[in-house]
Amino acid sequence: MFRTRFTARSAPDRTVRTRISAPALRRVAAVIAAISLGLLTDVFALGTSASATTVPGPPSGWSTVFSDSFSGSSGSGIDSQWMYDTGAGSTFGTGEIETMTNSTSNVHQDGAGHLDITALGSGGNWTSGRVQTTSANVGAPAGGELEVTASIQQPTGGLGYWPAFWMLGPGQWPENGEIDIMEDVNALSEVSGTIHCGTDPGGPCNESNGIGSGLRACSGCQSGFHTYTMILNRTNTSAESITFYLDGASYFTVNESQVGTSTWQAAFDHNLSIILDLAMGGGYPNGVCGCTSPTGATSSGGTMSVAYVAAYSTSSGSSGGGGGGGTGASGTGPITGYQGLCLDDRSASTALYNPVQVYTCNGTAAQQWSVVQAGSLIKVFGMCLDVDAAGTADGTKVDLYTCNGTGSQVFIPESNGELYNPQSNKCLDDTAYGGSGTQLQIWDCADTANQQWKLP
């Protein structure tokens, strides 16, 4: 379960992009549709209406890869696309003080198309809620784009409130990647967008602050619903970017060149989970107010209300056509390594922990691997290439396991042919150049012949 999150307090403004964004196109389309129906009242308040609970359709050339409009009955908990992340907020590494629960007092659907996350305080003790998708389920395919968006009304209540809509990759923070699409603190009616990557402390992403927009005005964000969006653009795989939007207008962009290619690939060239939570206290609100929050004047019962969450993707290498957002494979066939040997599922077995080896290429099904670009998962017989027991040491064996999207199963193709596992900071390795029948391992990346692989 993903636990760690840090956030940025300030960062210099960057020049925003001027292209017509996918969020903006959807808003224009919605306006046109509304006019055609004669529904002129409040049509230009799109993104601020409490009744806007319907997930927008994808723009032309995009596909919906995840959505939830929270249509459950009043008082019901989350649906099966989500899971609770419970426990003391102090374990998340951010200084927050609440306890996250699975109680419907803290997290429930309201019967009117909203998911409400409510912080409740009594005598200095606070409970709240944090939910995330059940897997790292959305990512931008190489050569394509991913948009993740939500319609949210921020909570009121005063010092200490810390609502967040964000994404997290599998594996070790911060190299696994984090994208904070919406954060506000202390009920300021502001918003910030931030990325986290690399190493902590310091590193190319200035951890634990990250690279962010800093807080900026978000007028009416506590009195109505507004859309918070990010687009991960991989159409040029050597110059990728992440752009943040408020109500369809871009306000901050981070480029791959700011952190370096290897750091960026480890952080963002794979699937991530979507997370919604309402924290209380911690480093971000305390740093902004210069105080310890929450205080005695902070009101209990502040609610972060979510009308919908959605993710859209283009297909790999195209700004048009259907897309998978990590659900489609970039290719299926043999993966070859040192001396032309093939990656092989020993004895064509689907048993858990079955060894993955190199073997003489023979065209059998045990050597037909599917490489999922956005998730960087490598599959055969529906099972995934996996680092045994989530090991991170040199020499840890590689085997097959049920696909679960954890950091043990992320192998990012590098330009030099290596398959890099961010969780361990090591590469897939043909053990000691061992020859046909040798089980694979992970080892420090060395750009050697026994770590270079040719994908299908």
Side-chain angles (χ1 to χ4, degrees), residues 162-249:
W162 184 1
F165 163 45
W166 53 295
M167 303 171 68
L168 189 65
Q172 180 65 42
W173 190 91
E175 67 186 56
N176 58 337
E178 177 180 336
I179 305 172
D180 300 325
I181 304 172
M182 184 283 293
E183 292 183 286
D184 183 32
V185 293
N186 302 331
L188 293 173
S189 200
E190 296 182 329
V191 65
S192 64
T194 308
I195 71 159
H196 297 272
C197 64
T199 57
D200 180 44
C205 273
N206 186 37
E207 299 304 348
S208 55
N209 284 329
I211 300 174
S213 65
L215 289 166
R216 55 186 64 212
C218 189
S219 178
C221 287
Q222 293 170 318
S223 57
F225 286 80
H226 291 255
T227 56
Y228 304 90
T229 305
M230 82 89 210
I231 290 181
L232 172 53
N233 188 331
R234 299 187 63 202
T235 54
N236 181 346
T237 55
S238 62
E240 299 177 7
S241 64
I242 294 172
T243 300
F244 297 90
Y245 301 80
L246 173 62
D247 291 330

Side-chain angles (χ1 to χ4, degrees), residues 36-53:
S36 69
L37 292 171
L39 302 177
L40 297 176
T41 304
D42 294 330
V43 72
F44 293 104
L46 290 173
T48 63
S49 169
S51 63
T53 59

Side-chain angles (χ1 to χ4, degrees), residues 170 172 175-176 266 270 407 410-412 420-426:
Q172 180 65 42
E175 67 186 56
N176 58 337
H270 54 74
V410 175
F411 288 89
I412 298 172
Y420 172 65
N421 176 242
Q423 177 170 275
S424 62
N425 193 32
K426 299 186 186 300

Side-chain angles (χ1 to χ4, degrees), residues 19-28 57-59 62 145 147 229 231 245 248 312:
R19 73 177 177 91
I20 299 176
S21 66
L25 287 172
R26 260 197 302 284
R27 287 162 55 80
V28 170
W62 295 59
E145 295 182 81
E147 175 188 337
T229 305
I231 290 181
Y245 301 80
Y312 312 93

Side-chain angles (χ1 to χ4, degrees), residues 97 159-160 281-282 285-287 289-296 298:
I97 56 91
L159 294 174
N286 291 352
C289 72
C291 67
T292 300
S293 67
T295 69
T298 302

Side-chain angles (χ1 to χ4, degrees), residues 403-424:
C403 296
N404 53 28
T406 61
S408 300
Q409 298 181 352
V410 175
F411 288 89
I412 298 172
E414 302 287 338
S415 59
N416 63 357
E418 292 174 336
L419 289 170
Y420 172 65
N421 176 242
Q423 177 170 275
S424 62

Side-chain angles (χ1 to χ4, degrees), residues 131-142:
V131 300
Q132 65 186 64
T133 51
T134 55
S135 67
N137 62 330
V138 294

